[in-house]
Amino acid sequence: MEKRCTAVELIPTEQLPEEVRRFFVRSPEEICRMNGRIYLMMDRDVLSCADTAEGNTVLSAVQKKIDSKSGRSPKDIWYQILTDTEPRRIAALAKKHGIESRKKRTVILFRVKYPPEQPLERIFSEIAPLEEDDCLATVNRDTLALIKESEFQSEDEIAEYAAAVIDTMVSEGFTDLQAGIGTEAEDLRGINRSFEEAVNALAIGMRYQPNGTLFRYSEQKLERIIDLIPAEQREKIVREFYSKSNADAFDEEMMETISVFFRNGLNITAASKELFIHRNTLNYRLDKIKRDTGLDLRTFRDAIIFRLICGMTENER
């Protein structure tokens, strides 16, 4: 009897297995069946139970109480366009609903950690500085896609716009908002790719920079390379690295120093100015890292190796 009780649990969305979380981001469905488990998306958490007759009974009972709270209509045209990979169906939908196919568009995916009681799309439309040709599509209760016309806007301008939206939403109390930006689609045939990139940008960003708010797919090349390395190999490399150095040496001050140094393109003068320290102090800290790890971050090769290992370490946390 005790085992049956523990088979049902509530899991915060950020603690879901990666493949399950990605399923909910990509799919309008509120139920995911995977690896012998059933996952049901609820207001703030996900109910998980064994995929058995008993589990399905629990699922049915709970789902009846939350069906009325669904934030997305299954007939959402833009959602269908974003998630369909068949060009002919996309073209048919666009023609039927009078959507211009040849416009350049970029997908920005917004996610809130704690879904509001009201549909996110409604709140977003009332608060965020949307422009005339912007379109919204609800992905699920905590995720919203903004399809933004980008014909006359650069990638940096799109990112600035997304940052402004986040600032506006934060000022209204949505402090847990994060966004992922895909690359520009030349027409509707590429909109699915931009959407998938936004999904991945958000997933990778949340994994490597959980406290970050805005993630651009085009700027995540290093993180995507790290993700291609099998998990067991990542763990082996991290163990080898830390067996030769003292992990305690990388306190908050040292990690901030490294972050600023990297952000300034390994430029000693620029980094020391931003850190408000003397060049010699920065060189002293970099010498200490070299003694502890054998890596001289002033050289491009060792800086890349260090960044890769740090990314692996963050990914395994």
Side-chain angles (χ1 to χ4, degrees), residues 270-314:
S272 58
K273 284 182 179 178
E274 184 174 337
L275 289 164
F276 299 103
I277 60 176
H278 195 276
R279 285 172 53 94
N280 291 344
T281 304
L282 178 54
N283 274 309
Y284 172 80
R285 293 178 185 177
L286 295 175
D287 286 339
K288 185 177 187 304
I289 294 170
K290 184 178 180 180
R291 288 196 303 271
D292 290 338
T293 67
L295 298 176
D296 186 351
L297 303 191
R298 287 159 292 205
T299 67
F300 179 76
R301 177 181 177 277
D302 285 1
I304 289 294
I305 292 171
F306 186 89
R307 182 64 189 92
L308 280 167
I309 292 171
C310 283
M312 292 177 192
T313 304
E314 292 163 4

Side-chain angles (χ1 to χ4, degrees), residues 51-120:
D51 194 357
T52 60
E54 275 188 347
N56 280 277
T57 300
V58 171
L59 179 70
S60 262
V62 175
Q63 192 176 19
K64 285 179 182 178
K65 295 184 179 182
I66 66 171
D67 276 347
S68 60
K69 296 183 180 180
S70 176
R72 192 188 70 81
S73 165
K75 296 181 180 180
D76 188 297
I77 302 306
W78 270 107
Y79 184 82
Q80 292 180 48
I81 290 174
L82 288 177
T83 55
D84 202 327
T85 57
E86 174 51 55
R88 289 184 180 180
R89 285 197 297 265
I90 293 174
L93 280 170
K95 183 177 180 180
K96 180 178 179 180
H97 296 280
I99 298 172
E100 173 60 55
S101 296
R102 296 184 179 180
K103 284 185 178 179
K104 293 182 179 180
R105 298 178 175 94
T106 300
V107 177
I108 308 171
L109 204 65
F110 293 95
R111 177 185 179 273
V112 289
K113 185 176 181 181
Y114 301 108
E117 290 297 323
Q118 297 182 41
L120 184 59

